[in-house]
Amino acid sequence: MNKSTLDRIGKETFIISDLHLGHKNITQFEPCRLTAMRIDGHDNHEDWVIENWNEQVKEDEDVFILGDFSFKSVANYISKLNGNLIFILGNHDSAPAGEKWKGAEIVRGIWIDINGYCTRIYDDFMFEDRLMSGLIKDIDGERYLFCHYDIFSEDDWDRKNKKIGPRIEYFRKLYEDFNCTRLVHGHVHSLKSTQKDKSINVCMEQEHMNFRPQRFGNLINN
């Protein structure tokens, strides 16, 4: 990951989260996927997701994925999807190692790209948790925090989870310390953002996502 990659993230970038490829029970947890698949004439979740994606995204376009991409065969799925894939990691993703994420760019740790200044945060928390992954970036007068989690949620399970809870608290503090104005997140799936005026939920089940990547600029005022 470097500044040239971060510079490509903007209103024209496609964005999505929580594809859950290779997750055999995802249509049971999210039945709206099963309904949409059947309407589209599909009986295989992975084939359906890939077809929708490739109808929307061209080979040379950038796609920003905010976590929970695949439960297995990550590089294989990456190779089947159009576009230049840039990933933030979620709680169901695997830490980058070897060839597992071949063909993609990973936001490792927390990157800050504001006021023309770009850097990565280095602290003990970053080194101890290899799935900490996020970006704070200025785009057209707004300061966005991009991460996997809904930091405004008061969900008891997330807050008490030994791995997820500390990540949410860390991102919440970053949001405040860097005076962010909006959060862009996934993780909560078919639920709505808890503070819609401050956040944009890009989980693929959201109505404005229509089960495929959408240009970020089209979601800003949704």
Side-chain angles (χ1 to χ4, degrees), residues 5 15 30 34 44 49 51 66 76 91 98 106 115 123 134 153 156 175 182 192 201 218 221:
T5 298
I15 193 166
E30 298 297 334
L34 183 60
N44 181 279
V49 170
E51 181 178 294
L66 303 191
N76 177 55
N91 56 295
I106 312 295
N115 296 326
D123 62 22
S153 173
D156 283 343
Y175 185 93
R182 295 197 82 179
K192 303 298 183 183
N201 185 348
N218 293 341
N221 297 315

Side-chain angles (χ1 to χ4, degrees), residues 91-123:
N91 56 295
H92 287 301
D93 289 315
S94 55
E99 298 288 296
K100 183 168 287 188
W101 291 87
K102 183 180 179 181
E105 298 179 86
I106 312 295
V107 179
R108 301 190 187 209
I110 311 296
W111 284 79
I112 312 296
D113 186 10
I114 62 176
N115 296 326
Y117 179 72
C118 183
T119 190
R120 182 184 176 192
I121 292 178
Y122 291 93
D123 62 22

Side-chain angles (χ1 to χ4, degrees), residues 121-136:
I121 292 178
Y122 291 93
D123 62 22
D124 290 342
F125 196 92
M126 295 295 105
F127 287 109
E128 291 171 2
D129 189 343
R130 297 179 66 200
L131 291 182
M132 279 300 291
S133 181
L135 170 67
I136 294 175

